[in-house]
Amino acid sequence: MDLQMNQLTVNYSKTEVIKDLNVQVKDGDFFTILGQSGSGKSTILKSIAGLHKSHSGEILLGGSSLTHIPAEERHIGYVFQKPLLFPHLTVYENIAFGPEVHGWKKDKIQRQIKKLVKLVKIEGLEDRMPSQLSGGQQQRVAIARSLVLDHKLLLMDEPFSSLDPSLREEMGQLVKDLQKQLNLTIIFVTHDVEEALTLSDKISFLTQGHILQSGTPKDMYNHPSTKDLAEFMGKANWLAGQIKENKFTSILGEVPTEVKPESSSTPYQLLRPHDLSIDLKGTDFIVKSSQRTGKETTTIVHKDNLELTITELKDQEYRTGTTVGVT
Ligand code: ADP
Ligand code: MG
């Protein structure tokens, strides 16, 4: 379902933490709010869910205002950083809790849970207590619980940040699969750039309660709107040059550009490590270090004051001190 926030402002007592926020999330999208700790990410999710209300502006779900709808009637799933399972209930009972409160019949609950435990891959664990599960398994139960009432909008607040990196990747993939199979709209919150770039259809970068930029992962990574955002989104190489007649010229040569020159400042080109490669026939640069990580090699080269970080999809390191070219 489409979700829209119009001029949303949220306060805690007198402090404004979200200012005039305008966001549109399309039906079926994986939408990520990316931002550092304290930027207001959780506050936005709480406002959507109806857990925190002091705001002006409007939130529309499927075109209807949520303002006067209590949290329990919004039909929105919510997954928190901690699984928050009932410790004295089994996995099955934890997932069944919501439907029981809503008066679902026993066999309908059974069918629904059978489907969900399969989807989140916890079949066979139904009778365990939460304390007998790993962190990842507990979070799978929490996801099943958030979906058991057939909600189509799912809010996820840094759901994997306490899991180790390989498990995080697996859980991310799980959520992408669930999104497709159940036709979910997901609003995902994270401070982790990698996670945002891999999972999202669209990202909004939040800073101090307002959105600095929104776009596809590609837009955000390759065309960030400020230097700080460029640095936050990943390793950035800055190449000084000149702009003349729609061409940007630097020591690496010429590229076409639509940017107009400003007489007051030197233009820089942003180059990501994957945009560059090493040319063994060249001699302009000196290798400072070179390190293999999995299938890739990251090499740092320098020439006078300029240092470039280059990541190539190759299984070969360069010796420190070697002279090379860069393309
Ligand atoms: P994030 O999730 O991005 O880390 P939060 O939405 O939790 O950020 O917090 C945004 C700002 O609001 C922070 O400055 C935080 O200190 C403040 N804040 C969060 N919750 C409360 C609260 N219950 N009362 C007062 N201030 C709060
Ligand atoms: Mg938070």
Side-chain angles (χ1 to χ4, degrees):
M1 245 198 277
D2 283 349
L3 184 101
Q4 214 174 318
M5 288 174 251
N6 295 334
Q7 295 177 328
L8 188 74
T9 296
V10 186
N11 309 296
Y12 289 111
S13 54
K14 286 211 174 89
T15 322
E16 212 168 76
V17 291
I18 300 296
K19 295 155 204 144
D20 221 1
L21 193 82
N22 292 294
V23 173
Q24 271 194 320
V25 182
K26 280 215 307 271
D27 182 41
D29 258 5
F30 195 112
F31 178 87
T32 297
I33 302 170
L34 173 66
Q36 279 155 332
S37 177
S39 56
K41 305 181 297 295
S42 298
T43 302
I44 296 175
L45 293 193
K46 283 183 212 157
S47 306
I48 297 171
L51 302 181
H52 183 73
K53 276 190 193 135
S54 123
H55 61 248
S56 64
E58 204 170 31
I59 304 175
L60 304 171
L61 182 59
S64 312
S65 171
L66 290 179
T67 307
H68 300 294
I69 306 204
E72 61 279 10
E73 286 169 28
R74 292 191 179 193
H75 305 296
I76 296 174
Y78 208 144
V79 178
F80 301 90
Q81 183 178 345
K82 298 218 175 76
L84 304 175
L85 303 177
F86 298 118
H88 58 287
L89 298 182
T90 64
V91 166
Y92 187 95
E93 290 162 347
N94 262 283
I95 306 174
F97 188 83
E100 275 166 5
V101 169
H102 279 76
W104 284 27
K105 293 230 173 67
K106 257 208 163 81
D107 59 332
K108 185 178 171 192
I109 298 178
Q110 251 169 17
R111 271 195 316 259
Q112 179 76 332
I113 294 185
K114 198 167 169 205
K115 178 180 102 178
L116 278 171
V117 295
K118 204 165 162 188
L119 279 172
V120 303
K121 305 198 171 87
I122 48 167
E123 276 173 303
L125 303 179
E126 291 89 333
D127 295 330
R128 295 247 190 119
M129 302 306 285
S131 62
Q132 298 171 307
L133 300 175
S134 70
Q137 288 167 336
Q138 289 184 27
Q139 202 52 302
R140 286 170 199 262
V141 178
I143 293 171
R145 200 174 53 174
S146 73
L147 294 171
V148 70
L149 292 170
D150 283 327
H151 298 327
K152 290 296 176 199
L153 175 64
L154 182 60
L155 310 178
M156 306 189 87
D157 194 348
E158 316 219 25
F160 312 137
S161 57
S162 46
L163 305 177
D164 66 58
S166 64
L167 193 55
R168 290 175 75 152
E169 235 180 276
E170 189 184 322
M171 294 296 281
Q173 200 46 57
L174 174 83
V175 173
K176 288 293 279 183
D177 292 346
L178 283 174
Q179 182 205 4
K180 289 202 194 92
Q181 290 181 42
L182 300 176
N183 190 22
L184 303 174
T185 306
I186 295 180
I187 304 183
F188 190 89
V189 154
T190 184
H191 63 268
D192 185 296
V193 175
E194 279 297 312
E195 200 169 59
L197 289 174
T198 3
L199 297 177
S200 318
D201 295 311
K202 200 173 163 200
I203 299 171
S204 281
F205 179 77
L206 189 75
T207 176
Q208 296 178 346
H210 78 269
I211 289 175
L212 184 62
Q213 188 179 353
S214 299
T216 62
K218 250 190 169 153
D219 289 336
M220 303 294 285
Y221 189 66
N222 291 326
H223 304 287
S225 61
T226 70
K227 188 162 187 273
D228 285 346
L229 183 54
E231 309 259 351
F232 182 76
M233 295 305 294
K235 180 67 201 167
N237 293 301
W238 299 102
L239 203 59
Q242 285 178 340
I243 296 175
K244 229 189 250 169
E245 289 159 9
N246 294 333
K247 281 186 197 117
F248 175 87
T249 311
S250 69
I251 60 161
L252 296 188
E254 255 180 31
V255 286
T257 182
E258 280 158 28
V259 176
K260 298 287 166 237
E262 283 173 39
S263 54
S264 58
S265 61
T266 307
Y268 283 84
Q269 182 181 17
L270 165 63
L271 289 159
R272 295 298 185 183
H274 284 100
D275 296 334
L276 296 168
S277 55
I278 286 179
D279 171 14
L280 281 171
K281 294 195 203 93
T283 55
D284 287 354
F285 288 85
I286 300 167
V287 173
K288 187 176 165 192
S289 69
S290 186
Q291 198 169 30
R292 247 185 0 220
T293 44
K295 288 183 193 132
E296 298 186 323
T297 302
T298 293
T299 305
I300 300 176
V301 300
H302 67 100
K303 173 192 167 78
D304 307 325
N305 285 333
L306 177 64
E307 197 171 276
L308 298 173
T309 300
I310 302 164
T311 301
E312 295 173 294
L313 199 65
K314 75 163 69 150
D315 185 9
Q316 178 201 353
E317 290 173 8
Y318 303 92
R319 261 222 313 277
T320 303
T322 314
T323 53
V324 294
V326 173
T327 44

